[in-house]
Amino acid sequence: MRWVVGNWKMVRAQPSVDGWLREAATERARSAVSAVVAVPSPYLFLAAERLSGSALAWGGQDVSWDEEGAHTGEVSASMLAEAEASLTIVGHSERRLRFGETDAQIAAKALRAVAAGIRPLVCVGELAVERRDGRAEQVVAAQVDALLTGLKGQTRGLMLAYEPIWAIGTGVAASPADAETMHGVIRSRLGPLAGSVPVLYGGSVSADNAGEFMAIHNVDGVLVGGGSLRTDSFFAICDAAERCAGV
Ligand code: PGA
């Protein structure tokens, strides 16, 4: 099974959100490929309406660590579940860096998703300076360890994405060799979960390089930002995933 998860972030899909969803709804299922699009929360119910019964699932981009309450602006896991989100991104580096999310908060968010029956897709990855200093493996291993500690064994549906921060939105993806090394590190930190937790690569994935990443042994799929904004590019990546599935 290969995963392709689109992440629109706070960018409007092209030519329009509704146009994207309507077109995506007509796409065929790719064998052994799970495709999901993570949309901004206001579009979740529209995604549910347009995509239900299609080959594409939908999800959120973040979730609150609280179950309910006076938390203006937040979206709870049960609200995502009401919109039939199949997964939610958690701890994207943009949230870690711009909103100061900590490993403990990210684990708490993932726990809420698990409890609501939604797969948490937790992002890990190092800064350029950490890679330059030779600390990439250490940083990412610590992020995975902190997550597993916080989850206290509640790992149903857990997924990870290795997203080197310097590769996000830059057009400079990690080299396949570096991705393989980092995915190997993540896999080994997962211990007994190594065989059951999908680990995706993210960072400047395009229709041109997706196949290369998905051919790497420890890479179970891709998390795609810019390349998910147009259906032609997103489904070309799904085609690449289909070619690699079963390999
Ligand atoms: P990108 O973003 O594909 O535009 O680099 C990936 C991500 O941030 O998830």
Side-chain angles (χ1 to χ4, degrees), residues 8-28:
W8 289 352
K9 310 190 180 188
M10 201 177 74
V11 183
R12 223 171 269 282
Q14 295 159 22
S16 68
V17 169
D18 197 39
W20 195 105
L21 294 170
R22 282 179 186 276
E23 208 179 303
T26 66
E27 284 285 333
R28 67 182 176 88

Side-chain angles (χ1 to χ4, degrees), residues 36-227:
V36 188
V37 60
V39 303
S41 326
Y43 300 128
L44 276 166
F45 281 94
L46 183 63
E49 196 176 319
R50 297 284 181 258
L51 299 176
S52 74
S54 81
L56 183 63
W58 55 96
Q61 299 178 1
D62 189 21
V63 64
S64 175
W65 60 72
D66 279 310
E67 197 170 347
E68 190 178 79
H71 309 302
T72 304
E74 291 286 272
V75 173
S76 74
S78 65
M79 291 169 184
L80 293 178
E82 263 179 73
E84 297 171 83
S86 63
L87 62 72
T88 183
I89 297 171
V90 178
H92 190 283
S93 60
E94 286 151 13
R95 299 218 55 91
R96 291 178 187 259
L97 293 174
R98 301 196 55 192
F99 301 95
E101 289 188 11
T102 64
D103 283 326
Q105 289 167 338
I106 288 161
K109 288 179 170 206
L111 258 181
R112 289 291 177 203
V114 170
I118 296 170
R119 283 177 171 274
L121 171 53
V122 181
C123 303
V124 296
E126 81 284 358
L127 293 162
V129 61
E130 292 166 336
R131 173 156 290 271
R132 266 199 307 276
D133 292 351
R135 291 191 294 123
E137 295 185 21
Q138 184 192 328
V139 165
V140 168
Q143 289 171 339
V144 175
D145 291 353
L147 174 69
L148 294 178
T149 302
L151 284 177
K152 304 179 196 96
Q154 303 296 304
T155 55
R156 188 165 30 91
L158 176 65
M159 298 170 68
L160 294 179
Y162 168 59
E163 294 205 309
I165 294 163
W166 44 271
I168 295 175
T170 59
V172 182
S175 70
D178 283 343
E180 182 160 12
T181 303
M182 296 305 290
H183 279 249
V185 168
I186 292 168
R187 193 73 72 192
S188 70
R189 302 315 285 191
L190 283 168
L193 299 173
S196 57
V197 174
V199 185
L200 279 51
Y201 168 80
S204 295
V205 172
S206 66
D208 292 336
N209 64 17
E212 212 176 339
F213 284 108
M214 275 178 290
I216 299 171
H217 172 58
N218 273 320
V219 176
D220 300 303
V222 287
L223 177 55
V224 188

